[in-house]
Amino acid sequence: MLGCVTRLRRLVRLLPLQTSLLLLFLFCTVSVFISAYFLYGVKRELEPSGGGVSGAEGASADSDDPRATPSRLLPLRGVSGGPGVEPGGARTDPVVLVFVESQYSQLGQEIVAILESGRFKYRTEISPGKGDMPTLTDKDRGRFTLVIYENILKYVNLDAWNRELLDKYCVEYGVGIIGFFKANENSLLSAQLKGFPLFLHSNLGLKDCTVNPKSPLLFITRSGQPLPGPLPGDDWTVFQSNHSTYEPVLLAKTQSAESIASMGQNAALLPSVVQDLGLHDGIQRVLFGNNLVFWLHKLVFVDAVAFLTGKRLSLSLERYILVDVDDIFVGKEGTRMKVPDVKALLETQRELRTHVPNFTFNLGFSGKFFHAGSDEEDLGDDLLLSFVKEFWWFPHMWSHMQPHLFHNQSVLAEQMLLNKKFAMEHGIPTNMGYAVAPHHSGVYPVHIQLYDAWKKVWGIKVTSTEEYPHLKPARFRRGFIHSGISVLPRQTCGLFTHTIFYKDYPGSPNELDKLINGGELFQTVLLNPISIFMTHLSNYGNDRLGLYTFKSLVMFLQTWTNLKMQTLPPVQLAHKYFSLFPSERDPLWQDPCEDKRHKDIWSKEKTCDRFPKLLVIGPQKTGTTALYLFLGMHPDLTSNYPSKETFEEIQFFNGHNYHRGIDWYMEYFPLPSNTSSDYYFEKSANYFDSEVAAQRAAALLPKAKIITILINPADRAYSWYQHQRAHDDPVALKYSFHDVITAGHNAPVRLRVLQNRCLVPGWYAIHLDRWLNFYHSSQLLVLDGQMLKTEPAAIMDKIQKYLSLVNVINYHKILAFDPKKGFWCQLLEGGKTKCLGKSKGRRYPDMDPEVISSCPLQSQTFLREYYRDHNIELSKLLYKMGQPLPSWLREELVHTR
């Protein structure tokens, strides 16, 4: 072998230079042909035909085969449920990062609305042309699972640093990108997308849209027949590429007969939405050639979010639909059902059951109005009752009165008993466990007399309303459970008591059809797993718009989606709803006076003036009880009535009392007088570090002022420990303070609980920041607890100014220091003082009574180090709020240097 190599070398040396160059040229030529064969021959045999977004040889005119066979997908890394999921599970938080053009851009708002409807978490940022990208990672975890650009050009034209940063993040964490391109008068008619093998052809009018049946993106979206007719607008963009990374999702024809020159005559179907499979640069994307005005874009957008997040942010295919027909027997003469209408109702129900298993109209009745129509309508009433077992039934009020007008539960119950008697006489079932109040009165805001009467007379377990938390926007409607009754969100469907005739539909009949065919009604079902629709008796007589609407809706949903629709009785529906959304079980009480609709269906005997305007939130063991006493001395300030269970504290927002409702809360405050200086306040010291109190308080008392008192967290921790010892807590009696605060993770549970109550409330910055998430910093006053102890009059002057009280009191004249007690007390006539009880102002032994020379002040040293970072963060937060640092905090910061 070695000899052959030696001879070859000699032969090469003997060859002339020209011959050597010729051989080298021949070798290069053969290499090129071999490479071309493998790249363009073998590759096409390995990949499905038509894998790229078609250009001149791309999309076929045959809508059944638009040459869109999916190519190989780049695995999604680090996405739960994705093909490339890592053993450790998802590496990103389930949050969407949305880059918008401005806070008020229409497309940005539509994107956010869909995310909110799906209950997906998101964060919006103004698209940076240049400048800092938001922080994308937290340690080794990604903060976002999907990135959406309202304007894809803002992504394409990012400065090199930010573009590289974002692309590396997307590749490393398997994060996809959704982008939109909306052409305008300044857009080039044809241009290449910077940095991508993709061409854009803009400002086109399109028609006859079709869904690529082989797109890997599709989940809810069903491909089928083309959507005939023009697409909205003439500013569409279509995509062209011969790279196999691009697959069409939606395709359409141009409205004019002219073809796009660079795409050739054969490009009858042009891609208006494309999916980038990630074969070009490792990042999967979905690009839209317009905004979300076109309803099919909304549908594909929902699927894009699901696909690019590996179904982490995805809605299931199951949809539960319940159609309530309110006001049975209530309608005016001329609007009620006649015999043919009742037959049509039953026939439509049977027809819909072939598409929606168990579909049953749910009829709400008020018996007082039975046989209150014309002779033909009365015959309709009789026929309806002859089919009583064919439908589901639920009660309204007997006389259709609004329940919030009844202040006596017994009177409400009498009305319900009349309706129940009517039901029993006519064979109407009384055990469905569901009821709806006329005009949703008394359901929310809660009229507790209604809930109690419902349970007593009907055994009601479920109701529904469109009012929680507010009527609009509808996507925010939620459910809750109160007093043992599940309250489900109710949806409107474009039909009201006055919409009787198709030709007279407000705005034109076309408006109703648009609601059904991709509009708001369609989107309600698309984005809500459970939909309870409100309709009325009058919608089923005359032109029978109710029947037309739901037959058309079901047909449209079956044509364009893979949704699996079914119906459940209300009680089962409630179980399903709260199994899907368990976090909604607890209500979030709102201020009824902040919403005119709520105020109109709230008892006139109730007033929002009874709510407090000031909350003293703690934390515990910082002097809140003393402040409560001092505030109560002011003539303009009125405290709550004491509680038998918790003394001067109501403890409403942080615990089980919250579920008793706002009526219970208001009972702790007196009825307001006619004077304008009424200023109610309450003090509950465990609000401060509660995880739920801030949000609950802000929902009910959005304009309230908040006061917190801060002392050295080490002193607060020790005071709480001594407080527990004074109340004979066996754990505090068994363990020393140092043992409690230094207990490890393996310590007994009860010891860890005491440790948490000693230490956690002292994380002041964390708890303050939570309150600042719901209240403006100007609504929150931080007091120096040490100064309250030594100079209370000065603190009270500060509070009076902060509250803008009408009367200003000189607290120097009404407070006196009691040397026996060791703290300030109320000064009475004759020089006597009124002080807090024996449990307040105790003198405790030193925190470290036995100082060991080798380990001096061990508890204080431990706590100073433990709270070091917390105190630094607190100083930053107070500086940001524009509030002075307490004296104890300044001293602690000195020790950290």
Side-chain angles (χ1 to χ4, degrees), residues 842-872:
R842 293 191 186 97
R843 293 185 177 89
Y844 302 131
D846 291 338
M847 188 182 299
D848 294 296
E850 298 178 5
V851 179
I852 304 173
S853 58
S854 60
C855 189
L857 303 177
Q858 53 182 345
S859 295
Q860 291 187 36
T861 302
F862 173 85
L863 289 173
R864 176 164 287 158
E865 181 60 27
Y866 178 86
Y867 284 118
R868 178 181 178 275
D869 291 342
H870 290 287
N871 288 336
I872 292 173

Side-chain angles (χ1 to χ4, degrees), residues 9 131 220 226 255 458 477 523:
R9 286 177 177 173
I220 294 178
Q255 289 187 22
W458 291 100
R477 292 178 196 164
Q523 292 166 33

Side-chain angles (χ1 to χ4, degrees), residues 76 78-79 92-99 111 115 120-124 136 142-149 166 169-170 173-180 217 283-286 288 300-314:
L76 288 167
V79 179
T92 57
D93 294 333
V95 180
V96 180
L97 176 59
V98 184
F99 287 107
I111 292 169
L115 297 176
F120 302 147
K121 296 180 181 178
Y122 67 92
R123 172 178 168 181
T124 57
L136 300 174
R143 299 182 62 206
F144 307 104
T145 194
L146 177 67
V147 178
I148 299 176
Y149 268 91
L166 181 57
Y169 172 79
C170 290
Y173 289 91
V175 172
I177 296 174
I178 296 176
F180 296 84
L217 187 72
I283 303 172
Q284 297 194 40
R285 304 176 181 86
V286 177
F288 290 78
V300 171
F301 175 76
V302 171
D303 278 351
V305 171
F307 182 85
L308 292 178
T309 61
K311 300 287 179 66
R312 290 181 75 195
L313 303 183
S314 175

Side-chain angles (χ1 to χ4, degrees), residues 3 48 69 73 77 122 261 270 309 324 371 375 382 418 421 571 587-588 626 678 704 716 743 766 892:
T69 306
L73 289 175
R77 297 171 54 191
Y122 67 92
L270 310 174
T309 61
D324 286 351
H371 278 182
D375 290 343
D382 292 333
L418 290 172
K421 180 182 177 183
V571 174
L588 187 65
D678 282 332
R716 199 221 69 84
I766 291 175
E892 288 299 310

Side-chain angles (χ1 to χ4, degrees), residues 212-278:
N212 172 12
K214 297 178 182 179
S215 168
L217 187 72
L218 304 184
F219 178 55
I220 294 178
T221 308
R222 179 194 292 271
S223 63
Q225 62 188 27
L227 179 66
L231 276 60
D234 56 2
D235 51 359
W236 284 81
T237 294
V238 296
F239 303 93
Q240 176 195 4
S241 177
N242 285 323
H243 197 293
S244 59
T245 192
Y246 295 106
E247 300 283 0
V249 181
L250 295 183
L251 304 103
K253 302 175 182 178
T254 58
Q255 289 187 22
S256 64
E258 298 178 4
S259 63
I260 300 171
S262 61
M263 300 185 77
Q265 295 292 334
N266 295 326
L269 286 175
L270 310 174
S272 61
V273 178
V274 293
Q275 179 180 359
D276 180 347
L277 303 177

Side-chain angles (χ1 to χ4, degrees), residues 325-331 364-369 394-403 405-406 415 419 436-441 497 536:
V325 185
D326 290 358
D327 305 343
I328 294 295
F329 310 130
V330 178
F365 64 95
S366 293
K368 181 179 179 179
F369 304 99
F394 64 92
H396 289 315
M397 296 293 292
W398 163 254
S399 59
H400 213 63
M401 289 284 287
Q402 294 181 328
L405 301 175
F406 294 84
Q415 285 276 312
N419 219 23
V436 173
H439 307 286
H440 305 291
S441 157
T497 54
H536 305 271

Side-chain angles (χ1 to χ4, degrees), residues 689-701:
D689 56 294
S690 165
E691 293 186 358
V692 296
Q695 182 182 16
R696 290 174 172 179
L700 184 62
L701 311 172

